[in-house]
Amino acid sequence: MPALAAYHRHLDYSYATGFYPAMECLLHQPERVRRVLLSSDAEGTEAAGRLIELADRLGKRIEIADRVLEKVSGKENCHAAVVFAKQEQTLNPARAHVVLHHPSDSGNLGTIIRSALGFGMEDLALITPCVDVYDPKTVRASMGSLFQMRVQMFDSMEAYTAAFPEHALYLFMLRQSRPMLEVLQAPLKTPFSLVFGNEGSGLPDTFCTLGSAVRIESNDRVDSLNLSVAAAIGCYAFMQKAYAGGQAEGM
């Protein structure tokens, strides 16, 4: 088997580190798993036993690889990982989408993936340049939820809207925006996309013409919400509205 390298975005593979993310990859996208890595310290543990049992059932190679795990995780107490192939995906045109414009933080991206999946959204568009969705830090922050999401990259917002012209855009921004709860009083336009901007700069002001500009109102004791918090609130509120209105069928 070829030697494994520390992660770099130009590699055609990445790592899901930790028992839970590794299990999620094996359970939901086993065809992408190339190797299963375990630390010698984990041998004989219940978690390792479950991982080995599943890997054996799927015919996946299992290796004791202490040095590789330390190299790819950046810490000494990483006990398991899977090596998985990167894969280009296409979003479902009939489903609701989360669109992130130039996100820059792995932790935020992973948390948004996990929250979106938990609230019923399985399609994520990333407008580049952006943080690497396959960075092991992102995969770990998603707790393996990445392996139940469809993720597609776009060079620009224009490229995304050209690919999905039927999607109504709800853009989370301040310029010409209305409170989210007010927007949700009206029937949802479907299919829809929830669009969020960069952690520091937000969405460009010019985006307010692309759809319905929405803001999450808060009191004056904070100046803004963290991107992952705002995205979680938006996904929850809009999907609850879709379910209540019977519009989440097939979404």
Side-chain angles (χ1 to χ4, degrees), residues 44-56:
T45 64
E46 181 181 351
R50 291 198 301 268
L51 191 66
I52 290 169
E53 180 184 2
L54 180 57
D56 281 340

Side-chain angles (χ1 to χ4, degrees), residues 52-175:
I52 290 169
E53 180 184 2
L54 180 57
D56 281 340
R57 191 162 69 241
L58 294 168
K60 302 301 180 182
R61 177 186 173 93
I62 304 168
E63 305 172 24
I64 302 300
D66 293 329
R67 289 186 179 180
V68 174
L69 286 170
E70 183 177 347
K71 178 169 62 175
V72 302
S73 68
K75 55 186 180 180
E76 296 182 1
N77 63 343
C78 179
H79 299 303
V82 297
V83 184
F84 69 93
K86 296 180 181 178
Q87 182 184 77
E88 289 192 13
Q89 298 168 308
T90 302
L91 304 186
N92 186 333
R95 301 291 297 266
H97 298 169
V98 177
V99 182
L100 301 181
H101 187 263
H102 304 335
S104 61
D105 184 84
S106 291
N108 280 337
L109 177 53
T111 302
I112 290 169
I113 290 170
R114 190 180 186 194
S115 299
L117 182 66
F119 297 133
M121 302 186 74
E122 301 174 359
D123 292 80
L124 171 66
L126 294 175
I127 311 301
T128 60
C130 67
V131 67
D132 184 4
V133 71
Y134 293 117
D135 189 307
K137 295 177 183 176
T138 307
V139 182
R140 178 74 183 215
S142 82
M143 288 302 290
S145 295
L146 174 65
F147 303 112
Q148 296 186 69
M149 294 285 286
R150 288 175 289 270
V151 181
Q152 188 172 355
M153 312 288 185
F154 296 88
D155 292 335
S156 65
M157 194 65 192
E158 290 77 12
Y160 171 77
T161 56
F164 299 99
E166 301 301 318
H167 272 64
L169 303 185
Y170 292 94
L171 304 109
F172 284 73
M173 58 191 301
L174 294 178
R175 185 175 176 83

Side-chain angles (χ1 to χ4, degrees), residues 214-236:
V214 180
R215 68 179 182 274
I216 300 171
E217 293 200 307
S218 63
N219 60 38
D220 59 5
R221 302 180 74 175
V222 296
D223 60 350
S224 63
L225 296 174
N226 174 274
L227 172 61
S228 62
V229 173
I233 293 171
C235 291
Y236 173 79

Side-chain angles (χ1 to χ4, degrees), residues 188-208:
L188 276 180
K189 303 171 186 176
T190 57
F192 61 82
S193 301
L194 306 182
V195 186
F196 300 89
N198 172 268
E199 290 89 341
S201 57
L203 292 174
D205 286 347
T206 54
F207 278 27
C208 67

